[in-house]
Amino acid sequence: MMNSSSEEEVTAAVTLGLLAAWALHDLEELATVPGWWRRNLPALRERCPTVPQAVWRRAGSVDGREFAVAVGAMAAVVAAASVAGRLTGGRSAVYQSALNAFGLHGLVHLAQAALVRGYTPGSATSPLIVVPFALWARHRLRRAGVLRATRPRDLAVGLGFAGAATVAAHAAARRLTKG
């Protein structure tokens, strides 16, 4: 419900800005992921011995081209969510879930960097772009009276969807690049 005293238009900066913020963040990942994995995989394997070896083998087998295709596939998902947000004035549940997942994704990057006690791909733009954008966009949605109440379950669903979309993007990229 919109409150006339705080009614505010949800601009393209709020909705389509999700895609722009995601693109800036993923440019960092595109530039750093392949080399970072090559340099850090042995230490990560040693540090996290309970992670199945199949996970490490799969992570180590992703080359720059495959990663770039996976990022392109995720771009389609984020673009669709951003457009859904734009077309609905920010009311779209898909857009709001994607926005929440994007912000939480930034916190995951920061947690990863804390765990390795150093840089991890995505950890530079997370505190500068990802988390601030998500908080700002949620604030604008709240001021416009269209932000849905966010329950812990909603956050879990958003992260689950983001995780599933990431796995699907990488599976599609593997098929497209490996034959």
Side-chain angles (χ1 to χ4, degrees):
M1 306 270 174
M2 294 193 120
N3 178 341
S4 60
S5 66
S6 67
E7 189 174 319
E8 186 175 300
E9 179 186 359
V10 174
T11 65
V14 175
T15 55
L16 300 178
L18 173 60
L19 180 59
W22 175 88
L24 291 170
H25 171 68
D26 268 44
L27 283 174
E28 176 194 359
E29 291 183 339
L30 280 168
T32 60
V33 164
W36 188 90
W37 269 117
R38 277 191 306 279
R39 289 186 307 278
N40 291 281
L41 195 56
L44 290 171
R45 277 184 159 150
E46 188 175 308
R47 189 172 190 169
C48 305
T50 59
V51 173
Q53 288 304 309
V55 171
W56 296 125
R57 277 192 301 278
R58 175 68 181 101
S61 72
V62 176
D63 62 19
R65 185 169 164 248
E66 181 181 333
F67 186 73
V69 171
V71 167
M74 278 302 291
V77 173
V78 177
S82 297
V83 168
R86 184 68 187 142
L87 293 174
T88 62
R91 289 174 179 81
S92 166
V94 170
Y95 163 73
Q96 289 191 23
S97 291
L99 177 63
N100 290 337
F102 182 62
L104 291 171
H105 164 84
L107 296 178
V108 168
H109 277 300
L110 295 176
Q112 289 169 336
L115 284 172
V116 303
R117 296 185 196 116
Y119 176 80
T120 58
S123 65
T125 52
S126 286
L128 299 174
I129 295 171
V130 177
V131 174
F133 176 81
L135 292 172
W136 173 80
R138 286 179 50 81
H139 172 74
R140 295 299 299 254
L141 294 172
R142 186 177 300 108
R143 286 190 59 183
V146 299
L147 182 65
R148 296 169 183 264
T150 307
R151 303 166 302 192
R153 177 183 175 277
D154 299 324
L155 297 176
V157 167
L159 274 179
F161 176 76
T166 301
V167 168
H170 280 277
R174 171 135 305 207
R175 280 200 155 166
L176 291 169
T177 61
K178 304 295 186 208

